[in-house]
């Protein structure tokens, strides 16, 4: 999967040189939560940074692939050991930090020159986790996640300001099969078109 993501990034860079493609950097604040047994369903602040490309088919329709580094913060609930008493660590910390490489593939509809609506799937791959929820250094989170995005963007010349909701579709709980953990993210940020 890592090789697929690297190939996608190279393809993104190579195709961005064509005249019909536009690209640039983006940065946002990322409020994240996980709904599931043993974890707090409360939004915590993280961030997301990366790049986007866009290909306009006409004045209304476009595709917008992105390559993003995401930092998400979650919290263990006080009842974690109630659900995972066979695997959970008694002295585990409350904070969970996860870093992923995310690849959204969005369809963009431009209502006019200023307002755009974006929606589409996203694949995320876990590259770093800072959590000690389980015994024997076992990791509690799956490496892969599929999610869906929907959002709106305000375009002011080369700068876009956006708000997006991302909902996890797959279970990220790697402890056992009894309970599902699904993520949600609210993202607010800025994208700058440099070409």
């Amino acid at each position: 999967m890592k090789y697929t993501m690297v190939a996608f990034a190279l393809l993104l860079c190579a195709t961005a040189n064509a005249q019909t493609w536009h690209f640039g950097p983006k940065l946002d604040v990322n409020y994240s939560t996980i709904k599931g047994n043993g974890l707090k369903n409360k939004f915590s602040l993280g961030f997301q940074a990366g790049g986007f490309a866009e290909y306009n088919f006409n004045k209304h329709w476009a595709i917008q692939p992105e390559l993003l580094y995401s930092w998400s913060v979650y919290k263990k609930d006080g009842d974690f050991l109630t659900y995972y008493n066979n695997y959970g660590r008694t002295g585990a910390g409350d904070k969970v930090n996860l870093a992923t490489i995310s690849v959204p593939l969005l369809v963009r509809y431009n209502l006019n020159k200023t307002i755009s609506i974006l929606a589409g799937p996203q694949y995320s791959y876990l590259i770093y986790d800072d959590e000690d929820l389980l015994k024997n250094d076992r990791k509690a989170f799956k490496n892969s996640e599929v999610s869906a995005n929907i959002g709106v963007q305000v375009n002011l010349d080369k700068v876009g300001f956006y708000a997006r909701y991302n909902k996890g579709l797959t279970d990220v709980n790697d402890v056992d099969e009894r309970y599902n953990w699904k993520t949600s993210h609210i993202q607010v940020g800025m994208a700058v078109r440099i070409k």
Side-chain angles (χ1 to χ4, degrees):
M1 191 62 218
K2 291 178 189 175
Y3 298 112
T4 303
M5 292 172 65
V6 170
F8 176 78
L10 292 173
L11 178 64
L12 191 64
C13 292
T15 57
N17 291 328
Q19 290 183 353
T20 53
W21 283 93
H22 303 285
F23 61 92
K26 59 181 301 191
L27 178 67
D28 64 53
V29 293
N30 182 21
Y31 295 96
S32 306
T33 188
I34 290 185
K35 184 175 183 180
N37 297 58
L39 297 173
K40 285 187 180 176
N41 188 9
K42 183 177 178 184
F43 283 93
S44 297
L45 182 63
F47 72 92
Q48 196 166 239
F52 72 95
E54 71 180 47
Y55 179 84
N56 294 302
F57 295 106
N58 55 46
K59 68 179 184 176
H60 288 294
W61 290 100
I63 58 169
Q64 184 172 311
E66 300 175 352
L67 184 62
L68 306 169
Y69 172 85
S70 300
W71 182 266
S72 301
V73 179
Y74 305 107
K75 299 215 171 134
K76 179 186 82 167
D77 208 345
D79 63 357
F80 185 84
L81 290 176
T82 302
Y83 298 104
Y84 306 104
N85 57 349
N86 292 332
Y87 312 107
R89 275 187 71 241
T90 306
D94 288 340
K95 195 184 259 190
V96 174
N97 297 312
L98 301 180
T100 59
I101 296 295
S102 299
V103 183
L105 181 57
L106 306 173
V107 174
R108 178 173 164 164
Y109 181 73
N110 301 314
L111 295 172
N112 51 45
K113 288 184 177 181
T114 307
I115 308 288
S116 301
I117 296 171
L118 298 102
Q122 175 174 304
Y123 174 80
S124 298
Y125 187 80
L126 183 66
I127 58 170
Y128 172 80
D129 63 339
D130 180 14
E131 53 91 1
D132 60 353
L133 299 176
L134 306 179
K135 298 174 185 173
N136 303 321
D137 289 331
R138 195 171 147 216
K139 298 303 176 190
F141 293 87
K142 292 181 180 174
N143 285 333
S144 298
E145 180 186 23
V146 175
S147 56
N149 289 291
I150 188 161
V152 64
Q153 181 166 311
V154 176
N155 306 299
L156 305 173
D157 195 25
K158 294 182 181 278
V159 179
F161 299 95
Y162 61 89
R164 190 181 294 174
Y165 177 71
N166 175 281
K167 176 66 178 164
L169 302 175
T170 55
D171 178 19
V172 295
N173 180 354
D174 206 22
V175 180
D176 59 31
E177 302 295 323
R178 295 176 298 155
Y179 309 109
N180 284 337
W181 294 348
K182 292 196 176 175
T183 65
S184 295
H185 306 271
I186 297 171
Q187 299 153 350
V188 179
M190 180 176 72
V192 180
R193 185 194 296 179
I194 57 175
K195 180 194 178 294

